[in-house]
Amino acid sequence: MTAIETRRRRSMGLFNNIKFFVLCHGMLQLAQLLVSGYLKGSITTIERRYGFSSQMSGLLAAFNEVGNTVLIVFVSFFGSRVHRPRCIGIGAMIASMGVFLIALPHFIGGKYKYTGFNSNTKDNSSGLCQSQSISPEEESNQECYTNKTDTVVYPIFLLGQLLLGIGGVPIQPFGISYIDDYAEKRSSPFYLGILFAVTVIGPAFGYLMSSVLLRFFVDVEKISSDKILENDDPRWVGAWWLGFLIAATLLLLTSLPYLFFPKKISREEIEETPAEPSTEKIMEDKKPGTDTMEEVSLTEFLKSFPKIIRRTLRNPIYLLVVLAQVNLAAMVAGLATFMGKFVEKQFAQTASFSNIMMGGINIPSAMLGIMAGGVILRKLGLNVRSSAALCTVAVFVSFMFAIPLLFIGCPTQNISGINVFDSEQCSNACSCSKEAFNPVCGSNGVEFLSPCHAGCKIVLYNTTKVLNYTDCGCVALTGPPGFASPGPCENSCINRLIPFMILSSITCFVASLSHTTSFMMILRTVTPEDKSFALGIQFMLFRVLAFLPAPVLYGRAIDTACIKWGTKCNKTTSCQYYNLDLFRHRFLGLQIFFIFGGFVCFLLSFIVLRRIKSTQKQNEKMNNQVKSESSQEMKDAKQMVSNSSGHCNTQMVLRE
């Protein structure tokens, strides 16, 4: 019995340790953001599988913020009145259910069918000029009739994202306020820096996991004798669903420890006695008074809600820093969603390779920047004004590194029927399907939508792979027919990818130096009783102004650069070809715009703090002058009293 009690006390002691809470919270955020990174790493694959536009993909990536936005302020307001660890655990379980739901469309739908897929033919000749036994329209109508499950796929994705957002509401604000309440003041920035670094590691692992899993074919569990595409084929779709099953399981497992943490834990011991009462001490002294507020009803909260918002937003430093963070968050949200697609299209890379570049270079650079910012803040002991100066300089330097990215990219390839029209009329005699997309590269350096559009009549292949297409009348309009090789034409500017990734990673590192510093500016410029609510407003503004609209805005900008949309069942699907110059300028132009917005807000916060400091100095100087003048008056009065008393004494002596 004694041994059992000893074990129980040890376990309760473990769950009464703020360091163990930081460890558990780091693991939970790692699992939660693994989902986010994996979804963004798989977004182009999901687009290709179900025919989504980039704007639809952006809405899908941002839809988890809808439920989060509605609930975040209320959850943060009641943060000190509820069992925060237990709420975090229950929310993580709901999020896990949402992630399982995201993987569901793969299991309710049929096999992935692409242009050139024909299970009834094994001669690999489908898609050649005049090779169809039925008309393209009849073949398309047959496929559309047998596959009607795609209509419910998008709502299922949105519902899964909605549950993921609702479940993730209490995780970050409750975790931050819980740590800041019970951690020692000097250690709090270090702990938060660790958590913010973990929030970057999670998406990095998600990108790397998508890079591995997208190398497997989407129907890997449905083994058949049908031909399988190569990994570098533009029609390739990887096993996007597999990572969601793994991430949902990890999210469920990491939610369990939170059910055992108490509502309040012992405060971390302070090694050095502070010269003045700390924020935590003030909160502790005020707890008897705040306990009476735990019974505040939702109606009373709604009545006082506008007043609390006005009081919080009247703090100019808080407002400017949050707006700066909103600009940087909008940049990050758009880049995290579509940077993989940008590298894939701009430099003709596979989705797997693009995710390696994101998860192995850009995100670790941002992680190092976040950790470096936390270390600088702790070592130098920066005050609020010095923190604003650091943020301003860091964002300005990142802005200067981001500008050259606009000029590092590749031109649009020559595509028959899109920007090369010499051979457009040639393929009309081949009765090519309007939905055909099986790119081939002609011997003349022009890319064609399919072997049929190239006028090819003969295919050369071995047992597993197409080697070449010959007798292609549309490749060489004069002289003997040319030939075409399977796949798109090779990219001639692949050597620009390395300079692009180096500059991009430097930009991420320098901009991330402001992350932890700006968060600590917010925590140190609001009153202790408004801290949890201020964080709630901050995350709400993040979602309303950055995380929700930014992916949709980036997706819309990408869609405007499309020059050839795909079609399926007489409906427009995902984009097949982009004007790469427009793609680069609009995509990276939004990045530069948001970085500049963050720089302006940080600069204004520094100017306001400088004016506040100068005003305080003037007030102190005036107070000192008043004090010195009053003290001088007192001295003069005393002198007059002493002189008058001396004069009286002299008169008395003379009288004697």
Side-chain angles (χ1 to χ4, degrees), residues 271-329:
E271 296 178 359
E272 298 179 0
T273 304
E276 57 184 26
S278 63
T279 305
E280 292 79 2
K281 181 64 177 174
I282 295 173
M283 293 180 64
E284 185 178 5
D285 294 339
K286 290 188 177 183
K287 277 184 180 178
T290 57
D291 288 341
T292 59
M293 297 178 60
E294 294 188 2
E295 302 299 328
V296 174
S297 64
L298 182 61
T299 305
E300 294 173 343
F301 166 64
L302 291 175
K303 289 180 181 179
S304 62
F305 185 71
K307 183 192 223 176
I308 299 172
I309 287 186
R310 282 197 304 269
R311 186 175 70 215
T312 305
L313 296 183
R314 278 178 182 174
N315 185 340
I317 305 304
Y318 171 83
L319 186 60
L320 287 171
V321 173
V322 168
L323 289 178
Q325 290 179 330
V326 163
N327 278 276
L328 297 181

Side-chain angles (χ1 to χ4, degrees), residues 400-461:
M400 299 305 295
F401 276 108
I403 291 177
L405 295 176
L406 288 171
F407 308 100
I408 304 177
C410 299
T412 307
Q413 65 267 45
N414 295 322
I415 308 166
S416 176
I418 297 177
N419 54 10
V420 176
F421 300 98
D422 294 338
S423 58
E424 183 180 10
Q425 301 297 326
C426 172
S427 60
N428 290 337
C430 295
S431 301
C432 300
S433 172
K434 294 180 180 179
E435 300 180 0
F437 183 66
N438 180 16
V440 295
C441 185
S443 55
N444 59 350
V446 177
E447 189 170 317
F448 295 83
L449 292 176
S450 69
C452 179
H453 288 84
C456 301
K457 299 179 180 178
I458 300 175
V459 58
L460 303 177
Y461 60 94

Side-chain angles (χ1 to χ4, degrees), residues 373-387:
V375 171
I376 292 173
L377 184 64
R378 187 184 185 190
K379 293 293 185 183
L380 300 182
L382 301 178
N383 56 26
V384 178
R385 191 161 69 101
S386 301
S387 299

Side-chain angles (χ1 to χ4, degrees), residues 154-175:
Y154 197 68
I156 291 176
F157 277 133
L158 294 180
L159 180 59
Q161 279 284 81
L162 184 64
L163 290 178
L164 177 62
I166 292 174
V169 168
I171 293 178
Q172 196 166 22
F174 278 6

Side-chain angles (χ1 to χ4, degrees), residues 117-152:
F117 177 88
N118 192 340
S119 58
N120 297 323
T121 62
K122 296 185 179 179
D123 60 354
N124 235 349
S125 62
S126 61
L128 296 177
C129 181
Q130 298 177 345
S131 65
Q132 292 87 352
S133 58
I134 61 174
S135 65
E137 290 75 14
E138 292 175 341
E139 184 178 358
S140 175
N141 291 335
Q142 289 179 4
E143 292 182 0
C144 295
Y145 179 78
T146 57
N147 189 13
K148 294 184 178 181
T149 58
D150 288 356
T151 57
V152 299

